[in-house]
Amino acid sequence: MTIARSSDRPLNWPIILFMVAIHFGALFALLPSNFSWSAIGMAFILYFITGCLGITLGWHRLISHRSFRVPQWLEYFFLFCGSLSCQSGAIEWIGLHRHHHAFSDQEADHHNSGRGFWWSHMGWLLHDVPAKSEIRKFTKDINTDPVYILIDKYFLVLQIALGALLYALGGWPFVVWGIFVRLVVVYHFTWFVNSATHKFGYRTYDSGDRSTNCWWVALCTFGEGWHNNHHAYQYSARHGLQWWEIDVTWMIIRGLQSVGLADKVKLVKQEANLVKQ
């Protein structure tokens, strides 16, 4: 399979214009009329719901890697939470993530960190992504599920509906902080996992790529920053493997397990098969 260099890939203008609009909208938070502690609080709540429960726990550890199992209704709830992060449809996101793990930091990897920080952070998003042609191959377990198909198709409509609800609750400050600022924060924190945790931090395992463990990314992303651990043991529901590697998402999974809402939790049992750095 021939992969075009970034400079050869056509620009994806709908994505570029969308990203410009979201970042521009976040600047309205600087207006005094849009300052509101309740709006900031709402943004933080939505940041947790969409970034932690949705992307980190739901789309990533639960669905992409099947690190644990929950009842179907709860899986759909986490799927819905992730859709409110507005990071494309769930099937596309999950397919591209699985593709990334199959080719991590190789030429076929759509956010190959070998192309530089900007490319792996968000530059790749602004171009056509050849890996999208393989999404169906990487999502055979979910791409015929009617709930996944529905949420994948209408994720942008759900974001607009959320914006309308926020406007009804608190006017424009709620929209500016709860939609625009929150999306910018969740976007860049998610992208740091693709960029910063392939450049900064320490390596515990020889995972066959450039992945690192980066404490400040872990802090921002509820434990996703222990990325070298994750690439070494992709199946593990726990990413922070050392006592000092705080993993909030793992704490939530343990909580779900303790009340009977999570089972078949996959964990690292031994480390002899990997070479420590």
Side-chain angles (χ1 to χ4, degrees):
M1 176 173 146
T2 302
I3 304 298
R5 298 293 299 176
S6 60
S7 58
D8 300 328
R9 298 180 186 177
L11 291 170
N12 189 325
W13 283 106
I15 294 295
I16 292 172
L17 294 174
F18 179 80
M19 287 300 168
V20 168
I22 294 298
H23 285 74
F24 180 76
L27 294 177
F28 282 89
L30 299 175
L31 295 177
S33 60
N34 285 325
F35 180 83
S36 164
W37 284 114
S38 58
I40 294 172
M42 177 62 72
F44 184 82
I45 292 170
L46 287 172
Y47 155 63
F48 175 78
I49 292 173
T50 61
C52 181
L53 299 183
I55 295 297
T56 299
L57 187 149
W59 285 20
H60 189 211
R61 301 195 197 187
L62 173 62
I63 304 170
S64 292
H65 293 284
R66 294 300 179 188
S67 298
F68 60 103
R69 187 180 67 173
V70 298
Q72 191 67 65
W73 65 266
L74 188 55
E75 179 175 324
Y76 288 153
F77 170 73
F78 292 137
L79 172 69
F80 174 77
C81 291
S83 72
L84 296 180
S85 70
C86 211
Q87 295 185 20
S88 81
I91 295 173
E92 178 178 311
W93 193 101
I94 292 159
L96 287 178
H97 183 74
R98 290 172 175 175
H99 183 277
H100 159 66
H101 273 277
F103 302 100
S104 181
D105 287 331
Q106 300 174 39
E107 186 60 30
D109 183 1
H110 43 285
H111 47 75
N112 175 9
S113 66
R115 294 181 175 174
F117 186 90
W118 163 255
W119 176 260
S120 59
H121 189 69
M122 68 175 296
W124 68 275
L125 276 169
L126 310 181
H127 295 76
D128 286 348
V129 179
K132 288 184 179 180
S133 65
E134 299 189 74
I135 286 173
R136 291 198 63 82
K137 181 177 76 173
F138 282 90
T139 57
K140 292 178 181 179
D141 58 323
I142 59 175
N143 63 32
T144 59
D145 185 309
V147 177
Y148 275 84
I149 294 171
L150 184 68
I151 291 179
D152 184 90
K153 185 176 181 179
Y154 293 108
F155 74 92
L156 191 55
V157 175
L158 292 173
Q159 195 67 210
I160 295 171
L162 175 61
L165 175 62
L166 291 175
Y167 182 80
L169 291 174
W172 285 114
F174 268 46
V175 174
V176 169
W177 285 91
I179 298 293
F180 295 100
V181 175
R182 186 259 312 176
L183 285 180
V184 168
V185 169
V186 175
Y187 282 160
H188 286 281
F189 284 177
T190 301
W191 299 338
F192 276 139
V193 179
N194 299 333
S195 56
T197 60
H198 282 254
K199 185 174 180 63
F200 308 115
Y202 59 93
R203 289 173 54 79
T204 305
Y205 303 107
D206 180 5
S207 56
D209 56 16
R210 300 182 182 89
S211 60
T212 63
N213 293 319
C214 184
W215 70 268
W216 58 269
V217 177
L219 185 64
C220 294
T221 58
F222 308 97
E224 296 294 85
W226 311 121
H227 203 52
N228 177 243
N229 296 343
H230 172 54
H231 270 261
Y233 297 103
Q234 298 175 27
Y235 61 83
S236 178
R238 181 178 181 177
H239 290 190
L241 300 181
Q242 304 297 328
W243 67 266
W244 67 84
E245 296 174 340
I246 298 173
D247 186 349
V248 173
T249 303
W250 165 241
M251 297 176 189
I252 297 172
I253 295 170
R254 285 287 292 124
L256 292 172
Q257 187 179 31
S258 68
V259 297
L261 288 176
D263 62 8
K264 295 190 176 180
V265 179
K266 299 174 184 176
L267 295 171
V268 175
K269 292 182 179 179
Q270 54 84 29
E271 303 173 355
N273 61 319
L274 288 173
V275 178
K276 287 195 174 186
Q277 299 294 303

